Amino acid sequence: MNKRRVVVTGMGAITPLGNDVSCFWENLVAGKSAGGTITRFDPKDIPCKIACEVKGFEPSLYMTPREVSKNDLFVQYAAAAAKMATDDAEINFSKLDTTRAGVIVGSGIGGIGTFETQEKRFLERGAHRVSPFFITMMIADMASGYLAIRYGLKGPNYSTTSACASGAHAILDSVLLIRSGMADVMLTGGTEAPIVPISLAGFSANRAVSFKNDEPESASRPFDATRDGFVMGEGAGVLVLEEMEHALNRGAKIHAEIVGVGASADAYHITAPPENGEGAALAMQNTLKDAEIPPEEIQFINAHATSTPTGDIAEVNAVKTVFGKQAYDIFVTANKSEMGHLLGAAGAVEAIATIMSLKTGIIPPTINIKQPDPKCDLNFVPDKAIKTELAYAVSNSFGFGGHNISLVFKKMQ
């Protein structure tokens, strides 16, 4: 039996490089950096003082004032991205069977800003001053819950939490639900709002972030010999996925097809991957098998590439394991060199960037490679975007805990 085909009909994004897909894509292609000294709070007592912040976001454009007050920033970002995605898809849920439309939006740490604020209120003012909305603002599934309520979607609804793979994990699950026949339409992606003192302090303590405070625009430098950690970002990416016949029957435009999904676990360490990239390689092998295409069909990989010393080497070794000598002919780019690491939202936003590459034939650059690491010797599209014909592309996402997700997208002819 032929498996049901899954296509992308809508995309929306809130990112440090722009608050819609068009602006995000334009700045990504131009090689701009969103890195800067943190402006949202004074980071003077925290070793890492830099981040890639979303600028100029107005939640009131997407939610009522009451909704804004009752929802953490990570839900606000998701609401905005979902509004853009559904508008882009030109989808009217009132005309569809909403029992067959669902929502999966991943988040690595949910409402950590709310948690920090409410704990401080509890310690300083007592239990009776804790907000009645504290729990619902904090829990990571609330982005999915809010969107289901907003659009009246009664199909499968939950959140994926697999650290930095959460957004890609949500896409993978949504694809499988549509293929299984349980849903025809899914709103899916990832959202994160982690730029708060306690979060930054925690990542500083485990030395996952960069401490290049005097060089915020170039601190995120995947594959560079002097990389020392990621630069924290924030935002959301939401996609509308549909079963292909469902999309065609309603006359929807199709951005791309998702032909392969793959997952694996490192089963190795809570934060570091094995240097040989075994888990990442297995995820890519699984997604190629699912897509039923040989490795030779892949011309482009949107790498996870966080700018950590061990992670970048592991991913390079994984690519070499899967693609052999062909690895040196594949274009590999790192969006995080420009927008920072959006944690649970990264996989979804990078999926959108991958789709835009297929649609336009443009591969955004990896910036900030000044001293190439000899162990990272693939074609990373340094400094300037390139134009080329693409048919298939891989997008990788890996997370603390050893979670690995790999997706294969196909250009629509």
Side-chain angles (χ1 to χ4, degrees):
M1 185 176 71
N2 293 331
K3 62 187 178 186
R4 284 158 53 100
R5 297 170 67 181
V6 181
V7 295
V8 180
T9 58
M11 303 187 294
I14 297 290
T15 81
L17 288 174
N19 293 338
D20 57 59
V21 171
S22 177
C23 186
F24 160 66
W25 178 246
E26 180 181 347
N27 286 326
L28 192 70
V29 170
K32 293 187 177 180
S33 171
T37 301
I38 291 172
T39 62
R40 196 164 299 164
F41 58 88
D42 185 354
K44 63 182 178 65
D45 296 325
I46 302 173
C48 175
K49 306 178 190 305
I50 57 177
C52 293
E53 297 173 305
V54 167
K55 300 292 179 62
F57 175 67
E58 294 290 345
S60 60
L61 295 175
Y62 311 99
M63 309 170 82
T64 67
R66 182 171 174 79
E67 287 177 318
V68 172
S69 69
K70 292 166 59 177
N71 286 283
D72 186 89
L73 185 58
F74 87 103
V75 176
Q76 296 172 27
Y77 286 159
K83 176 64 165 59
M84 295 179 213
T86 54
D87 286 352
D88 180 42
E90 298 181 339
I91 192 165
N92 185 344
F93 289 113
S94 67
K95 295 183 178 181
L96 303 178
D97 181 355
T98 54
T99 66
R100 297 187 56 75
V103 188
I104 307 175
V105 176
S107 183
I109 50 180
I112 194 166
T114 292
F115 189 98
E116 182 181 68
T117 300
Q118 293 299 315
E119 185 195 31
K120 182 178 181 181
R121 181 179 293 186
F122 170 71
L123 294 174
E124 293 179 351
R125 302 170 67 184
H128 66 290
R129 301 300 297 175
V130 171
S131 169
F133 301 111
F134 167 43
I135 299 300
T136 54
M137 291 175 72
M138 177 195 70
I139 52 180
D141 69 306
M142 201 46 63
S144 290
Y146 172 84
L147 293 178
I149 294 167
R150 177 169 182 163
Y151 295 105
L153 307 184
K154 299 175 182 177
N157 179 271
Y158 57 90
S159 174
T160 47
T161 299
S162 43
C164 306
S166 298
H169 191 169
I171 295 170
L172 179 148
D173 278 13
S174 296
V175 169
L176 295 180
L177 285 169
I178 293 173
R179 284 186 187 170
S180 75
M182 194 177 294
D184 296 322
V185 182
M186 294 294 296
L187 281 185
T188 188
T191 185
E192 207 80 90
I195 304 177
V196 297
I198 188 64
S199 179
L200 196 68
F203 280 114
S204 293
N206 72 12
R207 306 193 68 80
V209 290
S210 173
F211 299 113
K212 298 184 186 299
N213 296 319
D214 295 331
E215 307 171 80
E217 291 188 351
S218 61
S220 182
R221 49 185 74 175
F223 310 119
D224 186 89
T226 63
R227 67 190 182 278
D228 68 332
F230 68 80
V231 177
M232 187 183 294
E234 60 178 341
V238 173
L239 301 87
V240 178
L241 305 190
E242 296 185 58
E243 189 275 325
M244 179 177 278
E245 291 303 316
H246 184 277
L248 293 174
N249 287 339
R250 69 176 190 85
K253 68 177 182 297
I254 296 175
H255 293 299
E257 182 177 1
I258 306 179
V259 294
V261 295
S264 72
D266 288 337
Y268 177 75
H269 188 272
I270 58 173
T271 59
E275 186 170 323
N276 65 6
E278 178 184 6
L282 181 59
M284 284 187 278
Q285 289 165 340
N286 286 340
T287 197
L288 291 171
K289 181 179 179 180
D290 183 59
E292 298 178 347
I293 59 173
E296 292 76 26
E297 294 284 354
I298 301 301
Q299 305 120 312
F300 168 48
I301 296 173
N302 196 336
H304 182 63
T306 58
S307 185
T308 57
T310 57
D312 291 2
I313 291 174
E315 188 167 10
V316 167
N317 288 337
V319 171
K320 292 177 180 178
T321 296
V322 175
F323 296 97
K325 293 180 180 179
Q326 180 204 351
Y328 295 94
D329 298 323
I330 296 173
F331 298 108
V332 180
T333 197
N335 296 161
K336 294 179 183 72
S337 65
E338 300 181 52
M339 68 180 184
H341 190 355
L342 278 56
L343 305 184
V349 173
E350 289 164 13
I352 291 171
T354 303
I355 292 166
M356 291 301 296
S357 285
L358 287 172
K359 284 167 64 73
T360 64
I362 299 172
I363 298 177
T366 302
I367 64 171
N368 300 327
I369 301 179
K370 308 303 179 186
Q371 298 181 45
D373 185 338
K375 293 184 178 180
C376 299
D377 56 351
L378 303 180
N379 182 355
F380 300 121
V381 193
D383 301 324
K384 292 185 179 181
I386 63 164
K387 181 87 173 178
T388 186
E389 282 296 316
L390 297 171
Y392 293 94
V394 168
S395 184
N396 287 332
S397 296
F398 314 131
F400 280 3
H403 314 292
N404 305 307
I405 303 291
S406 189
L407 307 171
V408 178
F409 297 89
K410 179 182 178 183
K411 180 179 179 179
M412 294 304 297
Q413 302 301 324

